[in-house]
Amino acid sequence: MFTQHSLAWSSLWQHPELLGMAALVVLLAFYVRAVIGFGSGLISVALLALIFPVKEVVPVVLLLDLVGSVLLGAYDFHEIRWPELRWLVPGSLLGLAAGAFILADTDAQSLTRFLGLFILAYVVYALVLKPEKLPRLSLPWGLPLGIFGGVIGSLYGGGGPPIVAYLQMRHLDKRAFRATFQGIALADNIVRLFLYIGLSLLTLPLAISFVFLVPPVLLGLWAGNRLHFRIPQRAFLLSTLALLTIVGIQYLI
């Protein structure tokens, strides 16, 4: 186990090796984000929390994810499937609010295990049917799956898996998938930003650290975007399932 240090800018300034390690993690995370459209929060939080306190990591990663959502969303703006967001965004906002109440009164660990089982069951289902042959969900399914994603986002800082499942079963092509996911991620990021500010989880020293980590975000997005346009659609679908498998296993353990 690594010795944990503060993620505040003063600590990074005094320990440049920590800044270098954090930058490499962020670069990898946003490379993956640009390739398949999601996963930067999962990778960043999981690895940075080995070095820094998780209560500091989550707010900083939120700001980095906000940058990723804005840049990828702007780059792919014309590829966004707006009808999907008409159901997903309201559901996600409802879920974010509900998750806060659930967190206050429920054993979060048992909910984590349930989520892990749900994700792994979906991955098995998708692999058995083949991802490109999954049944097509109707648009209104975006509301309950958006709520589910919002609850998970409120509890664990990222509600991607249920929304990824929904978008896969809407059979969007890889760029439309990535673009539309940025829309829901942006709404989630903005709501959580205000929550973190209101709860004093996001402080000025952490905000300054975020600024130090923006360059590796930009480099990761640039490099990952180049691969996104080269990866075949089936490889893209299998890559999303592979990352979901990692997420599911992480939640179980």
Side-chain angles (χ1 to χ4, degrees):
M1 176 65 69
F2 293 101
T3 300
Q4 289 198 323
H5 301 268
S6 175
L7 188 52
W9 72 272
S10 56
S11 177
L12 297 182
W13 187 260
Q14 294 171 5
H15 300 89
E17 71 280 4
L18 295 179
L19 178 59
M21 293 170 68
L24 285 175
V25 169
V26 170
L27 175 64
L28 170 64
F30 283 86
Y31 177 82
V32 173
R33 172 77 173 267
V35 173
I36 64 175
F38 73 104
S40 55
L42 165 73
I43 295 170
S44 297
V45 172
L47 296 180
L48 291 177
L50 296 173
I51 311 169
F52 307 102
V54 69
K55 285 189 176 181
E56 296 182 356
V57 167
V58 171
V60 172
V61 170
L62 169 65
L63 291 176
L64 298 174
D65 270 349
L66 184 58
V67 171
S69 297
V70 169
L71 292 179
L72 284 178
Y75 186 80
D76 290 335
F77 184 78
H78 295 294
E79 299 294 330
I80 296 175
R81 300 296 184 260
W82 297 103
E84 315 292 347
L85 298 181
R86 190 165 62 235
W87 294 95
L88 281 172
V89 170
S92 179
L93 297 181
L94 287 171
L96 284 169
F101 290 100
I102 294 172
L103 186 61
D105 299 317
T106 308
D107 176 15
Q109 186 62 37
S110 62
L111 290 171
T112 304
R113 294 194 186 100
F114 168 76
L115 177 61
L117 289 173
F118 168 82
I119 295 169
L120 293 177
Y122 169 74
V123 170
V124 171
Y125 174 68
L127 288 174
V128 168
L129 286 186
K130 297 184 179 180
E132 64 273 16
K133 295 183 179 179
L134 287 168
R136 184 181 180 87
L137 291 181
S138 60
L139 279 172
W141 275 99
L143 183 63
L145 287 173
I147 292 173
F148 189 15
V151 169
I152 299 309
S154 189
L155 292 174
Y156 310 116
I163 295 168
V164 168
Y166 169 78
L167 293 177
Q168 277 200 331
M169 297 177 81
R170 288 293 296 160
H171 292 271
L172 303 182
D173 64 66
K174 63 182 182 180
R175 192 167 181 193
F177 176 103
R178 187 179 75 168
T180 306
F181 189 90
Q182 306 320 306
I184 186 66
L186 181 59
D188 175 278
N189 293 158
I190 291 172
V191 171
R192 287 201 291 128
L193 176 62
F194 283 108
L195 285 173
Y196 289 171
I197 292 173
L199 295 171
S200 299
L201 293 172
L202 180 58
T203 62
L204 181 59
L206 293 179
I208 296 174
S209 296
F210 147 76
V211 174
F212 283 131
L213 292 172
V214 168
V217 169
L218 300 179
L219 182 58
L221 291 175
W222 174 80
N225 193 54
R226 292 171 64 86
L227 179 59
H228 176 78
F229 288 106
R230 295 188 176 97
I231 188 172
Q233 180 70 16
R234 179 168 175 77
F236 173 82
L237 293 171
L238 291 175
S239 297
T240 61
L241 292 177
L243 188 53
L244 285 178
T245 300
I246 295 171
V247 175
I249 293 172
Q250 182 192 35
Y251 284 147
L252 282 178
I253 62 177

